[in-house]
Amino acid sequence: MRLDRFLSETTPLTRSLAKRALKDGDVTLNGKPIKQAATQIDTEQDEVTFNGEKLELVGLRYLMMHKPTDVECTARRGLYPRVIDLIDLPKVERLQPVGRLDADTTGLLLLTDDGQWSHRVTSPRHRCAKVYIAELAEPVEGSAAKWAINQVAEGIMLEGEETPTQPALLRFLTPTQAELTITEGRYHQVKRMFVALGNHVNALHRQSIGDITLPNDLAPGEWRELTAEEIASF
């Protein structure tokens, strides 16, 4: 790997700033100052330091977060803080949400810098089940609940769509709290499904994705690395 590329991947430096740091004598290779940006290094054998600190490549990362409300799953800074602002890791900007949640939606969020793994989780072909808990504006009971459950099981048409939703599983925990399991990821799908059923979602929480369930001891805003078993489940 070129030395300037290695620096840009292990520090906050861009390639141009990495070249400047080399010229300024801030970088050593195996204990000796080096200034040639095009120098090829062995990332496993050679030791590179920047301002006296040893550098190491960041491998692929797989995280889960309990996303709090009023936090955005975007790269750009906007009205709310970004989820990556809550994560203290090097090169955190490389991490991408695996299926976004709206700013006002809470719950399980996966993040990774492994694009292939992310695609396996989100691809409609894989029919990955996602479980949401919705707090509803209007209570649903009796025959109305049975009707809603049957409609969701058959697939419903959303406004602006040309095909119905895939069959999904709806369960009412209370008259105003519902658990919905879907295998798609259409735009604002859960909220739009309840609108199509004549209701409105006041609050939404994602509880699980595939075999990964949000742990009870992971507080809003906290995150942890996925286990090898969790990573391999997709």
Side-chain angles (χ1 to χ4, degrees), residues 123-188:
S123 173
R125 276 193 314 125
H126 296 123
R127 300 284 180 91
C128 177
K130 297 171 283 289
V131 179
Y132 293 83
I133 306 297
E135 302 292 339
L136 305 177
E138 302 294 335
V140 185
E141 300 180 87
S143 60
K146 292 180 181 178
W147 174 82
I149 290 170
N150 290 335
Q151 291 293 110
V152 167
E154 294 175 2
I156 57 179
M157 288 297 300
L158 304 181
E159 184 178 356
E161 300 280 352
E162 297 182 354
T163 58
T165 59
Q166 292 292 324
L169 179 64
L170 176 62
R171 185 165 69 98
F172 287 95
L173 307 177
T174 72
T176 57
Q177 187 181 70
E179 179 187 270
L180 178 63
T181 304
I182 62 175
T183 57
E184 299 177 282
R186 302 191 193 190
Y187 181 70
H188 291 171

Side-chain angles (χ1 to χ4, degrees), residues 212-224:
I212 300 179
T213 299
L214 185 68
N216 292 329
D217 60 354
L218 196 66
E222 292 184 345
W223 60 274
R224 70 161 172 82

Side-chain angles (χ1 to χ4, degrees), residues 4-30:
D4 56 347
R5 178 185 169 192
F6 179 82
L7 289 169
S8 69
E9 293 195 8
T10 55
T11 71
L13 300 175
T14 63
R15 290 286 281 271
S16 60
L17 289 176
K19 290 176 181 178
R20 184 181 301 173
L22 285 162
K23 290 181 179 180
D24 290 343
D26 298 330
V27 180
T28 67
L29 175 61
N30 298 324

Side-chain angles (χ1 to χ4, degrees), residues 63-172:
L63 311 178
M64 71 159 62
M65 173 185 283
H66 185 164
K67 180 190 168 299
T69 190
D70 295 336
V71 175
E72 294 182 321
C73 298
T74 59
R76 295 182 179 179
R77 296 188 182 277
L79 180 63
Y80 300 108
R82 305 169 301 170
V83 291
I84 60 172
D85 294 330
L86 306 180
I87 300 173
D88 184 18
L89 285 176
K91 293 292 181 180
V92 70
E93 67 279 358
R94 293 185 187 174
L95 293 169
Q96 297 293 324
V98 183
R100 295 181 176 182
L101 293 177
D102 296 337
D104 61 354
T105 300
T106 63
L108 178 62
L109 180 67
L110 303 180
L111 301 104
T112 186
D113 42 18
D114 184 342
Q116 292 184 344
W117 187 83
S118 178
H119 178 72
R120 288 201 299 273
V121 179
T122 58
S123 173
R125 276 193 314 125
H126 296 123
R127 300 284 180 91
C128 177
K130 297 171 283 289
V131 179
Y132 293 83
I133 306 297
E135 302 292 339
L136 305 177
E138 302 294 335
V140 185
E141 300 180 87
S143 60
K146 292 180 181 178
W147 174 82
I149 290 170
N150 290 335
Q151 291 293 110
V152 167
E154 294 175 2
I156 57 179
M157 288 297 300
L158 304 181
E159 184 178 356
E161 300 280 352
E162 297 182 354
T163 58
T165 59
Q166 292 292 324
L169 179 64
L170 176 62
R171 185 165 69 98
F172 287 95

Side-chain angles (χ1 to χ4, degrees), residues 186-206:
R186 302 191 193 190
Y187 181 70
H188 291 171
Q189 181 172 343
V190 173
K191 295 176 181 178
R192 293 167 65 205
M193 287 179 71
F194 281 105
V195 168
L197 295 172
N199 214 314
H200 177 76
V201 174
N202 284 339
L204 189 61
H205 178 88
R206 184 159 65 193

